[in-house]
Amino acid sequence: MNFKRITLLLLLLTTPLFAQTRSGAAFLKIAPGSRHQSMAGAYTSMLDDPYALYANPAATGFLREWHYSAGYTKWLADISNASLLTGWRVPMPWSRQTRIAAGVLYKGIPDFNNSFTVSQAVSSEDVLVSLGIGQPLTFLSDYVSVGANLKYYRSRLASYNADALIFDTGVMVRTPRFQLAQSYDMLFSVGGSVNQTGRDLIFLNTGTPLPRTVRGGISCYIGSHHGFQFTLLADYVDVLDKEAYVTLGSEIMIDRYISLYGGYNLGADLFERFSFGASVRLEDVRLHLDSVFPGANKAFRLDLSSLDEDNVFARTYRGTAALFPVRPEYFMKEQPLPDDTLAEQSVVLEWEASRDRDLFDDHEYWVIVDQDSNAVKGALDMFRDTGQLFKPDLLDSALFYSASNRSSEFVRLDNLPGGHYYWAIIAYDKDGHYRIAEQNSRPVGHFYVPLADLHVKNFNVQYHDVVTRDDFHGTVSFSIANSGDRTARDIRVKLVDQVVLLDSVMDIQASAEWPQIKIDLLKAGKEKKYKFDWRTPKLGQHQAVITIETRENIKEWNSENNVYKYNLFTIPKGGFEAPDTAVIHLTSEVSIKLPIITEVNFDIESTEVPFEYLNQTNMDPHLKILANRLVKHPNLSVQLQGYVDPNTENADSMMAVKRSQAVRDSLIRLGVASDQIQLMEGVILPERRTPYNRTIRRWIHEERRYVKITAVDSAQAVLFKPVLHTDIERLQLNVNCLPDIHAYVPMDSVRYRFKAGSLVHGTQNSPANPFYLGDTLKWKPKKVNLPQWNGKTANAVIQITDSLGRFFRTPVQQIALIDRAILRENRTAVPLKFSGTDPTYSFYWERIFDQARQMFKEPGMRLKFEGHACAIDPFGVNPRLSQRRAETFHQGFINYMKEHHPAALEAFQKRLEPPRGYAENQPLGIKRLRGEFIMLGDNDMPIGRKLNRRIEIVFYLDRKSVQQP
């Protein structure tokens, strides 16, 4: 046994066997790893070496997801030291980032004897088995870790044995990486630990304390992933029964291939304070050494360290080998769940964060989303085969999303079309190392976005069966249905009436545009019904095209049914002209003197003169007539005063003035001089209580929005005199009907039908021109039936059946068949004030007397006064009011005769019928002999109601006189 061996044995063994007050187990104080030893043991804050857990168990939380390490040291005097270390990420219920590490350290001394063969040779060995856990506090931060080691230590010298359970605890904090200079980043780590705590070692009877150690350290890392990396470490170490000391360590790494280490220990009891070492690191992808390693994405590192020799000890060496992953860590897809159904418009893909333990490396996430599972699988296979970052143009149909920010572990897909989707996520670092996320052990996830299915349903055309001269052809009805399982939003339905074959165009102004439909929301399984009139002046074959579109990008089960087409055919258009009275032997004349209405009513909040006061309708345009009279009599003038109704519009007198101005402007445009028109101050009518009936309430409010036209009495006789309206029906032997009917679909049969009571006469034939009826139809009853037709009203109709089997008819034309000429009625209508019996302007009995004197020259001519009312009757007063009106005028005429023409009174009274009130039952109009009623006083219009509030002075032939030849 030489001197060196004896000295080393004294250092390693003497303390546990014989020291009584100092700590023992010097084996526990030896740095186990090559890098550890090369940096003088300054490992308390080391982030990227497995052996750092022996200095600070919290380092386990920052280690890679797995690692294997082995080390061997050949000391002097045949003393050897070996180690095995492994670690894994083990997901726990509280965290998926929990790390577990297990290791074995062994030191052996072969047989030795320094008693010069007096005693038997002895040997020694020490074994340390450790199990550690490291836990990053991910709920707080990814940059904080705590850890603990449980170690079993057994020491043997000759026949003496001692063992102990040992505990280590520690904490470590690191900073995020931040930029120091261009291409270089920096980060720090700080750690603290308490190691070697446990019961004393007992070889014989006396316990030897464990070398409890308190450590604190700080590290600084500077570098770039592809380039130089520098590490500076400093530890403060306080071992039981020893003076505390400081150690310093450093490392320089060249592009992660070669590293050089150095350390300096300031402890006072060392033979040599300096240490150094080196390492070589090989990576599969960077050096294309896939065949060297059992799989890709791994690295191998070989560390060598040395202690300087001196006068006592020869140089010693330590070697450590490590295998560890260099790709991003395992991570899982979180949302949506496998085979999940997502009804939202936006789909959020979420995944667990992946971590890359290379300090200066970065990774980004690539997400592949496609509705073809084979496309996603093919992309992953391509990636596995080539190891290259794929580009979106490699998959034509796929949707690609890149989230380069490592803090973003989600992608939002807005307005995703419905259907089945397959998705995968790849974490990809700067070196091309990758990790594919899994979910239930499957790399390709699946979720389903419900599909809508929009289509047209129950399309139908109800052709109009009456032949008219307008552009109306029928009613189109259909439904927009959603037969899918997803709500569709923001739907636009475009309807187009396309002309396929044009036959002719009607000479009318009409709108051929079909409505455009907007549907904000249509739930699955629901439908919306629509109905509208089909109008077109273009006769021929049409095609209805309905296109369903959505503003959001949705996919449907069947997108082909979003366009619906249906052929339509226009109906026959035109009509036929027939006289109101059958012109056989009779001409019937009805004349009526219509009053000038001196009030112009306006719509709510409107200052626009309504159409009927200026344009010809069934009635003559009153303002136009008044304007013509003012033009002929420039010396006469009128006054205009506007009124507003506070019940229905803003109580603003300016509105009343503007209405007067509107009437004035209309008169001026018709040629009236401005100095003939005087504007008066506007009037706001008092609010009034209106009846509950909506229609009557509306009528009353319409009456209270008007401009009143007044004139002095001398001017009224000229300006407000009645307008003569005459209706004549002539009867001839032949009844001429002139059809003018165009058809696009050929007419198979045409029938002319005339009916008067039980008398029916008709003809049926196939038209010479199946597309047009234009020849004059001359119809007359047979001679033997002529007496039966005379005096009748015949209904004339043309009936058509076309080649599509559609049946049409013209509107009924009523023809009065009479056999002589008469003046059937001569009437004068006098407008009255609302709810009153007085006329709206001065009335002249002398004119009535002069007219009666002329009319009574006709034998059988009689006179009567009829009282009428408009339909405003909230309290049922119209029957009494109309009767009172008739009686008032009846008595007024008699009083006038008594005063001015008493000699003619008796003769006139023989022709005078008793007065009669008709309430609102007989609106002002002309009833022809054929039964057709020409409405002049429409109760739904203000001007019509004013005409209906009237007295009618009616000269008429009695029935006996009408029947005489």
Side-chain angles (χ1 to χ4, degrees), residues 897-913:
M897 292 283 294
K898 287 180 180 180
E899 181 177 355
H900 297 283
H901 304 281
L905 177 61
E906 182 178 357
F908 272 42
Q909 284 183 324
K910 292 180 181 180
R911 301 279 190 101
L912 192 62
E913 292 289 330

Side-chain angles (χ1 to χ4, degrees), residues 519-565:
I519 305 174
D520 294 330
L521 181 146
L522 186 57
K523 295 182 178 180
K526 299 297 183 180
E527 64 181 66
K528 289 184 180 294
K529 298 180 179 179
Y530 298 94
K531 186 176 183 179
F532 63 93
D533 292 342
W534 177 30
R535 295 182 177 273
T536 178
K538 301 176 181 179
L539 303 183
Q541 179 181 349
H542 290 239
Q543 186 176 70
V545 181
I546 303 178
T547 305
I548 304 174
E549 299 175 345
T550 57
R551 294 292 178 89
E552 61 172 344
N553 182 24
I554 64 170
K555 185 177 180 182
E556 301 184 44
W557 283 113
N558 181 12
S559 59
E560 294 181 358
N561 61 9
N562 286 5
V563 178
Y564 181 86
K565 297 181 180 180

Side-chain angles (χ1 to χ4, degrees), residues 278-281 300-304 319-322:
S279 72
V280 176
R281 169 171 158 163
F300 175 78
R301 189 181 67 225
L302 179 62
D303 300 315
L304 295 174
T320 304

Side-chain angles (χ1 to χ4, degrees), residues 602 607 609 657-666 669:
F602 288 78
T607 59
V609 177
V657 173
K658 290 180 180 179
R659 286 172 174 168
S660 299
Q661 293 172 347
V663 175
R664 177 199 62 189
D665 295 341
S666 297
R669 283 193 294 270

Side-chain angles (χ1 to χ4, degrees), residues 28-89:
L28 299 177
K29 305 174 186 179
I30 300 174
S34 295
R35 292 178 74 196
H36 196 166
Q37 179 178 307
S38 299
M39 296 183 184
Y43 250 42
T44 307
S45 57
M46 190 67 175
L47 288 173
D48 59 347
D49 190 276
Y51 284 99
L53 64 87
Y54 287 104
N56 186 350
T60 305
F62 289 137
L63 295 180
R64 300 175 189 269
E65 59 184 339
W66 60 265
H67 61 85
Y68 298 101
S69 298
Y72 181 78
T73 304
K74 181 65 177 178
W75 296 93
L76 71 163
D78 298 327
I79 300 174
S80 61
N81 185 195
S83 64
L84 292 175
L85 182 61
T86 185
W88 294 88
R89 185 176 83 161

